[in-house]
Amino acid sequence: MKKRILIAVFAVFAVFAVCVVAPLAAQETEPPPIVEAAHNRVVAFLELSDEQVADWDVIYQIHRDAEQPLREEADAVQAEIDALFEAGDPDPAEVGALVIERRELGEALIEVHVVYHEAFVALLDEGQLRRLHLIARADDVQQIIPAFKLFELI
């Protein structure tokens, strides 16, 4: 049920983005050089077409727009939890309700990211998908590389 609601929310954001955000985004200032450089590296590595880049830019903005209010709400809930503990002797029921709410917001954020990722993957052809999987595998093993370096194995 929650997944259907999130997908519906994402669809509304998609329509909103196409009608309102995309034209406004074109009027905004350029992203910081580091962001643009990272964007260009992804585009080059995956060999994205101009159409794929345009589509990615739209779904990324939709993702960010869907994510922002959830992050703000999660931060506000966390601030409430922190304030209860700082005040001393918090009501366990109130803390529990807030913790559950914070968890649900975290799950909603995960779902927004999953929908974004799935939309991005849908843009890719087979070769591009293989290159994306290569990067994902490299990210997985990155954490164990220092252990191999410590023992001078690489």
Side-chain angles (χ1 to χ4, degrees):
M1 180 69 174
K2 287 182 185 178
K3 188 172 185 175
R4 288 186 190 144
I5 291 171
L6 285 171
I7 290 172
V9 167
F10 194 76
V12 169
F13 275 113
V15 171
F16 177 75
V18 170
C19 297
V20 178
V21 175
L24 291 176
Q27 298 172 0
E28 292 180 5
T29 60
E30 293 294 316
I34 193 165
V35 172
E36 189 164 343
H39 183 273
N40 292 340
R41 301 275 318 258
V42 171
V43 169
F45 182 79
L46 295 178
E47 299 175 4
L48 299 177
S49 69
D50 291 344
E51 183 179 336
Q52 286 173 312
V53 172
D55 290 346
W56 176 33
D57 289 345
V58 169
I59 63 174
Y60 182 73
Q61 188 60 48
I62 292 167
H63 165 248
R64 301 297 291 176
D65 291 344
E67 191 179 55
Q68 182 180 356
L70 292 171
R71 284 191 187 279
E72 290 171 358
E73 192 173 346
D75 290 346
V77 170
Q78 186 61 51
E80 286 182 60
I81 293 169
D82 294 344
L84 287 173
F85 280 104
E86 288 172 11
D89 197 28
D91 175 25
E94 188 175 0
V95 171
L98 289 170
V99 168
I100 290 169
E101 183 178 354
R102 175 64 179 92
R103 179 179 167 87
E104 289 172 350
L105 289 165
E107 289 173 354
L109 278 166
I110 290 169
E111 185 62 29
V112 164
H113 180 74
V114 167
V115 169
Y116 160 69
H117 188 267
E118 289 173 350
F120 178 76
V121 167
L123 297 175
L124 305 178
D125 64 30
E126 189 176 314
Q128 293 166 329
L129 190 55
R130 276 195 307 274
R131 287 189 290 280
L132 179 62
H133 286 151
L134 172 69
I135 293 299
R137 283 192 306 275
D139 185 54
D140 289 343
V141 299
Q142 183 178 359
Q143 61 187 332
I144 63 171
I145 290 173
F148 281 82
K149 285 185 175 188
L150 178 69
F151 291 101
E152 300 175 13
L153 297 172
I154 56 172

